[in-house]
Amino acid sequence: MSGRAFGTQTPAAPPREKEHVLPTEAPITPSPFAEKVRGPVGRSCDKIDGVERVTGTKLYGADLIAREADLHAKVVRSEHAHAEVVSIDTKEALRVDGVLAVLTAEDVKGTNRHGLIRRDHPVLAKDRVRYRGDAVAIVVAKTEQAAAAGRDAVKVEYRVLPTVESIEQAMAPGAPHLQPGGNVMGGRRIRKGDADSALADSHVVVSETFRTQTVDHAFLDVEAGVARWDGELLTIRVSGQWVHEEARLVALALGLPVERVRIIQPAAGGAFGGREDISIQIYVGLAALRFAGKTVALRYDRAESMRARHKRHPMRIEYAMGADREGRLTAAKVAIYSDEGAYASTGIAVCRKMSSHATGPYRVPHVRVDVFGVHTNNNPTGAMRGFGATQIAIAYEGMMDRLAAKLGVDRVEFRRANLIRPGDAVTTGQVVPSPTAVECLEAVLRQYGSKSMPSEPLPTHLRRGWGVSVICFGMGYGDGFPDASRARVRIGADGCVEVYSGIVDVGQGAENVIAQVAAEEMGVGLEHTRVITADTHMTPESGSCSATRSTFFAGNAVRLAAGELKEKLLDAAGELLCVHPNELEFRGEEIRGRFDEGLCCSLGELVAAARKRGYELEAEALFKPRTICEDFETGQSPRAFITYMFGAHVSQVLVDVETGEVRVERHVACHDVGRAINPEAVRGQITGGVVQGIGMALMEEVVYRGGRILNPGFTDYILPTVRDVPPVECVVLESNDPLGPYGAKGVGEPPLIGAVPAVLSAIYDATGKAPATLPCNPERVWGMLTGS
């Protein structure tokens, strides 16, 4: 293993484990304090809707169109990144055979606005467009082909305005104002200690400017769905990530009482934050309101999906970090400029995530961070897996490698010495009682050391290197934002345990998690549970499918509700069997005595007896833990997040120094998940996150010119395939979080966050050149190596 890029000391090979562990058999580290469970929790259960998905009977948004659509809609979008709307001429469009209506802003009876944090995004632009995805009209027709022809026949007259393409242009003197308050949307800050003085007194200081790119979510099934207005209720079936919030936004925009909007989630082929903003719900709902009793359909193709949808924030991160003679971190000073695109989306929250994670899992006594969100005429930027924590991890891990090199010390030992321990504080000043960053680092190094480095000599044009990263992630919304999940559990007419949760499953397995938790708590088999999710008129609100919160929040709510129902049933069983309920327990489909095996009744008998006695066989619960809003002057908070998640990665790469091509040979990822409710699903989440991280590190980039996306499709927007990714070795660490359902935290976002800096670290090790601009595609790596 080469350490030549990091000073005089070469990192020793990680210690070998006694037995080789195949990636598919990676160990789950047991906790001696794990809660005793007997049911499906902790077991790799098949997806409860797996057969439907494999056989094609599970209905995605596009499947509903062929089955149910009476009419079809298409969206007219701006042809300019920045312009005033002078007029919209619909006459030619209305002459197209089959076109029934062309709707403009004048037809929107509500606020005509949407946005997750600020309602600043017009549903249909009336006076001004701010990016090429802005919608200006909707065409409704009898067929999809007629709707497309009508869309193309709408004539919009624009007065073109100067385009602001970059952060630098947006902040330049005299730049056109894209929003009423100017181009700086807002920001966040951290003030802890005196960073300037501490840097001045440091033994070594390193500085770097990192630039991360615009990334698309690239989920598989594009936006599609249907809506129907029956004169009383507007029912919309479109995939999103927070059905109850979508109903609120649709109601506001269209001028309806929220109780007259019903959102039902069809199956979704991924999201990664890309469905968190409103997509087609308001458009298809508006069209349905015009044609009562008709089912209206709308779908995008891939190019329109990429043109319309928000992206991951591209950023410029200016980072300085210092250390003393003993190799202890002293201070960090960070300035972050985030391209917010045309509208705010979740940018304010992303800015906070960046500031609150600016020093990651490391002890840094003096910290100064300033984050600025800046509007441009690019696509709005918002939630994407990692949510700001991804970009800042690239920076703080890059600084750890650079500092280790300047100090002439081993990069792994340097990290180990500076990682937080129990009782230490993270960037926000929050003390983490049981951080597991060190444990994750040790576990990933053991797994990496379980295989020897290839010994054959490399051709002269190839260089091999390995890199490491350690990351942390604050789970949930955090910072005092109301974060809650509700659930209802009841006994159905057939005796099955029914679980009602508003949480959205976008393919990650949330339905399995809540079914397994309910079955475990009730003491019944998974086959005796039925899950009903994400329907605003049937399920209680559970918050969004984001922030890696689904397992923790929805799982806790389901467990509380199931526990309440179980107590009701045990009370009824106690009456039936004439014993105290505490002397009974569920065993599958039976209730038996804890101490007297002769006490027994079937679940069916118990339910019948309980109903006869008038017992209410359902329970609802609310899980709403408290976080504390930061001090806006200092960014400090004693409990910015409910809990923190930790992970560590090792990546091994080959770099072709003649072409700049980088190939990942091996990747190991360790994550503390609290408890793996469904271990195989956890490994799947880790693998998927690593694949996305490799894509971000090496190839994915949305390319703009004059506000136009030049690569709006998978032919030119390059994604990793099976040829680009090695088998991912997953190490699942379990720490049994005291607040999580059966000790679980979750896993969704951290695997991507850890993967990117590990790949960049490996490139540094292989070449002696530290990457600072992403993606590290062949052209960019070759330029870095040749200085061109």
Side-chain angles (χ1 to χ4, degrees):
M1 299 178 194
S2 170
R4 57 188 169 276
F6 299 92
T8 57
Q9 298 186 24
T10 301
R16 295 176 180 272
E17 292 185 329
K18 292 182 180 180
E19 296 183 4
H20 170 61
V21 182
L22 292 174
T24 56
E25 300 173 352
I28 293 180
T29 308
S31 166
F33 309 108
E35 190 168 357
K36 184 178 180 181
V37 292
R38 300 176 179 175
V41 165
R43 299 181 184 177
S44 294
C45 302
D46 291 341
K47 283 184 71 68
I48 58 178
D49 60 352
V51 173
E52 296 173 79
R53 289 180 184 269
V54 170
T55 59
T57 57
K58 187 83 171 180
L59 298 181
Y60 292 75
D63 297 323
L64 302 172
I65 296 175
R67 290 168 173 257
E68 302 180 20
D70 299 314
L71 304 175
H72 297 264
K74 291 293 180 182
V75 179
V76 180
R77 298 193 182 278
S78 170
E79 288 303 316
H80 302 281
H82 194 202
E84 290 180 358
V85 178
V86 178
S87 65
I88 302 174
D89 185 349
T90 65
K91 293 190 294 294
E92 290 299 320
L94 289 170
R95 292 192 185 104
V96 173
D97 186 35
V99 170
L100 302 176
V102 180
L103 308 177
T104 66
E106 303 298 331
D107 298 292
V108 185
K109 304 305 181 185
T111 64
N112 190 34
R113 295 274 163 172
H114 67 91
L116 278 173
I117 296 178
R118 294 178 179 173
R119 260 55 67 193
D120 64 342
H121 195 156
V123 175
L124 295 177
K126 183 178 181 180
D127 303 314
R128 189 176 180 187
V129 292
R130 292 176 172 84
Y131 81 114
R132 289 193 72 255
D134 260 333
V136 295
I138 298 170
V139 176
V140 187
K142 294 179 180 179
T143 66
E144 195 168 13
Q145 292 76 13
R151 173 197 61 198
D152 296 341
V154 173
K155 293 181 171 58
V156 184
E157 182 183 353
Y158 297 98
R159 188 173 74 83
V160 178
L161 300 172
T163 300
V164 178
E165 299 184 40
S166 66
I167 293 169
E168 290 75 16
Q169 288 182 11
M171 299 187 73
H177 283 193
L178 304 184
Q179 292 290 347
N183 293 342
V184 177
M185 177 197 70
R188 287 292 188 269
R189 55 163 47 183
I190 295 288
R191 298 291 186 270
K192 185 167 72 170
D194 187 343
D196 288 320
S197 295
L199 286 173
D201 294 338
S202 296
H203 176 59
V204 295
V205 175
V206 293
S207 300
E208 184 65 88
T209 297
F210 298 88
R211 293 180 182 271
T212 68
Q213 77 275 41
T214 306
V215 180
D216 189 77
H217 303 82
F219 44 70
L220 290 183
D221 74 307
V222 292
E223 297 85 343
V226 298
R228 185 180 182 90
W229 168 247
D230 64 7
E232 295 293 330
L233 183 66
L234 176 62
T235 301
I236 300 172
R237 285 181 286 167
V238 172
S239 293
Q241 289 183 236
W242 188 355
V243 289
H244 289 84
E245 182 68 2
E246 291 155 26
R248 285 188 284 267
L249 291 172
V250 169
L252 278 171
L254 299 184
L256 291 172
V258 71
E259 63 270 16
R260 298 181 72 181
V261 177
R262 182 182 186 183
I263 307 287
I264 303 172
Q265 173 87 1
F272 316 116
R275 302 185 196 270
E276 198 163 333
D277 280 276
I278 282 284
S279 62
I280 68 172
Q281 294 93 331
I282 300 177
Y283 302 140
V284 72
L286 175 63
L289 287 175
R290 173 62 70 93
F291 298 95
K294 298 291 187 180
T295 298
V296 182
L298 173 61
R299 65 175 142 199
Y300 295 164
D301 59 18
R302 180 65 61 184
E304 185 174 12
S305 176
M306 293 185 71
R307 175 181 174 183
R309 189 166 19 86
H310 69 275
K311 311 297 178 195
R312 184 189 292 284
H313 294 76
M315 295 180 186
R316 186 178 86 228
I317 304 172
E318 300 168 0
Y319 208 122
M321 183 176 269
D324 63 19
R325 293 180 183 276
E326 287 70 41
R328 293 186 296 259
L329 295 174
T330 55
K333 185 175 181 180
V334 191
I336 304 170
Y337 300 88
S338 173
D339 185 341
E340 302 297 324
Y343 302 106
S345 181
T346 56
I348 296 167
V350 171
C351 286
R352 174 57 180 157
K353 200 79 168 190
M354 285 184 284
S355 66
S356 64
H357 287 66
T359 54
Y362 299 104
R363 288 190 309 275
V364 185
H366 302 275
V367 183
R368 180 188 177 99
V369 183
D370 291 286
V371 186
F372 304 94
V374 182
H375 284 301
T376 66
N377 290 124
N378 298 321
N379 282 57
T381 49
M384 186 175 178
R385 193 175 190 175
F387 202 81
T390 298
Q391 295 95 320
I392 198 64
I394 292 166
Y396 65 68
E397 281 300 279
M399 299 309 289
M400 294 300 289
D401 277 345
R402 288 161 175 77
L403 266 176
K406 192 162 185 178
L407 285 165
V409 299
D410 175 28
R411 55 194 161 141
V412 171
E413 290 303 322
F414 182 58
R415 284 175 167 84
R416 186 182 285 118
N418 285 285
L419 287 170
I420 62 171
R421 264 63 174 188
D424 286 338
V426 290
T427 311
T428 61
Q430 179 174 347
V431 173
V432 182
S434 302
T436 54
V438 174
E439 289 82 354
C440 288
L441 177 60
E442 301 299 344
V444 79
L445 291 174
R446 281 196 302 271
Q447 177 65 18
Y448 183 61
S450 67
K451 295 180 183 179
S452 58
M453 182 78 81
S455 57
E456 73 280 1
L458 289 171
T460 56
H461 66 285
L462 294 180
R463 304 286 187 273
R464 175 176 283 123
W466 67 280
V468 64
S469 70
V470 190
I471 60 96
C472 69
F473 183 77
M475 187 269 292
Y477 304 149
D479 295 316
F481 189 88
D483 198 352
S485 186
R486 296 165 180 83
R488 184 169 68 254
V489 181
R490 65 187 295 267
I491 303 297
D494 59 355
C496 191
V497 176
E498 294 181 344
V499 186
Y500 293 80
S501 170
I503 204 66
V504 171
D505 193 323
V506 291
Q508 82 278 30
E511 290 183 359
N512 259 71
V513 166
I514 61 177
Q516 288 177 242
V517 168
E520 188 73 54
E521 188 68 18
M522 292 293 297
V524 301
L526 189 61
E527 68 277 11
H528 298 298
T529 62
R530 182 184 302 119
V531 176
I532 300 92
T533 60
D535 180 334
T536 56
H537 274 47
M538 291 186 68
T539 60
E541 177 155 8
S542 295
S544 70
C545 170
S546 65
T548 314
R549 63 180 295 281
S550 297
T551 293
F552 195 89
F553 278 81
N556 263 321
V558 166
R559 184 178 185 186
L560 290 170
E564 286 296 308
L565 178 56
K566 182 172 69 173
E567 291 303 315
K568 291 182 180 183
L569 287 169
L570 288 174
D571 279 340
E575 287 193 20
L576 181 64
L577 299 173
C578 300
V579 295
H580 193 283
N582 287 351
E583 297 177 30
L584 301 172
E585 64 182 0
F586 281 80
R587 296 187 193 174
E589 290 189 71
E590 293 182 330
I591 290 83
R592 285 189 174 273
R594 292 177 182 271
F595 316 110
D596 181 356
E597 290 290 330
L599 292 172
C600 179
C601 70
S602 71
L603 181 59
E605 292 171 333
L606 172 60
V607 169
R611 286 198 169 118
K612 188 175 181 180
R613 289 181 171 86
Y615 276 82
E616 184 186 24
L617 297 185
E618 86 172 46
E620 187 161 334
L622 166 68
F623 178 70
K624 190 176 183 179
R626 176 174 176 251
T627 58
I628 301 173
C629 184
E630 82 272 20
D631 180 293
F632 291 115
E633 292 300 314
T634 66
Q636 300 295 282
S637 168
R639 198 184 194 197
F641 294 94
I642 296 298
T643 190
Y644 275 83
M645 310 162 77
F646 296 88
H649 289 226
V650 171
S651 196
Q652 180 179 305
V653 304
L654 277 179
V655 181
D656 188 322
V657 296
E658 293 181 355
T659 67
E661 182 181 4
V662 178
R663 180 165 67 87
V664 179
E665 287 188 302
R666 191 177 172 205
H667 199 102
V668 187
C670 173
H671 286 274
D672 170 17
V673 303
R675 182 182 180 89
I677 300 289
N678 188 330
E680 192 59 33
V682 167
R683 284 187 277 265
Q685 286 281 293
I686 293 173
T687 299
V690 169
V691 172
Q692 283 188 301
I694 290 173
M696 182 175 177
L698 300 181
M699 58 195 74
E700 293 188 48
E701 182 175 19
V702 175
V703 180
Y704 290 100
R705 182 176 299 159
R708 179 186 297 269
I709 297 176
L710 300 184
N711 55 340
F714 290 169
T715 300
D716 300 309
Y717 183 84
I718 308 302
L719 292 164
T721 70
V722 292
R723 292 179 174 270
D724 303 301
V725 180
V728 178
E729 300 168 52
C730 306
V731 181
V732 181
L733 186 73
E734 293 191 311
S735 61
N736 191 30
D737 190 278
L739 292 177
Y742 293 101
K745 293 182 181 179
V747 70
E749 293 168 276
L752 189 155
I753 299 169
V756 186
V759 173
L760 302 185
S761 177
I763 294 171
Y764 187 5
D765 184 46
T767 66
K769 301 288 186 179
T773 302
L774 272 69
C776 289
N777 55 30
E779 180 182 10
R780 190 163 283 134
V781 172
W782 187 84
M784 179 180 71
L785 295 176
T786 60
S788 59

